[in-house]
Amino acid sequence: MQDIVITLLQKMFILTLQMAVPILLVGVVLGLMVSIFQTVTQIQESTLTFVPKIVGCVLLLIFLLPWMFNVFITAVNEFYGTIPQLIGAF
């Protein structure tokens, strides 16, 4: 019983990382590029840090949304497939 629950939790955490890491990486890379640009040009505009990150993350989300839905639906189907094992363990 515990093995099944631990395996499901591991799969959930891996799924969360798979779906979140690409967007977070784009945000970090764009933030670093904007910071370097601000340092070089000495422009200290506060909105300049947020707008490129928001635009980049939204564009990436639009681009990756079909893949994310596919991965999520596959994981949910696998989870529903393990429900009989969970019921049988009780």
Side-chain angles (χ1 to χ4, degrees):
M1 176 65 181
Q2 280 183 325
D3 296 337
I4 297 171
V5 173
I6 290 172
T7 303
L8 288 175
L9 286 174
Q10 286 175 342
K11 287 182 180 181
M12 280 191 331
F13 288 133
I14 290 171
L15 177 67
T16 303
L17 286 174
Q18 281 180 337
M19 295 178 81
V21 165
I23 297 169
L24 292 173
L25 283 177
V26 166
V28 167
V29 168
L30 287 175
L32 182 64
M33 290 172 43
V34 168
S35 295
I36 291 171
F37 175 75
Q38 282 183 325
T39 302
V40 169
T41 60
Q42 294 182 353
I43 298 173
Q44 297 302 322
E45 181 65 31
S46 62
T47 58
L48 186 62
T49 60
F50 295 111
V51 173
K53 286 193 272 188
I54 291 172
V55 170
C57 289
V58 167
L59 288 176
L60 183 69
L61 188 61
I62 291 170
F63 179 72
L64 290 181
L65 209 55
W67 171 78
M68 290 176 134
F69 276 133
N70 188 20
V71 169
F72 184 73
I73 299 246
T74 303
V76 168
N77 287 335
E78 287 177 13
F79 172 71
Y80 284 149
T82 60
I83 289 177
Q85 292 176 350
L86 290 172
I87 292 173
F90 287 115

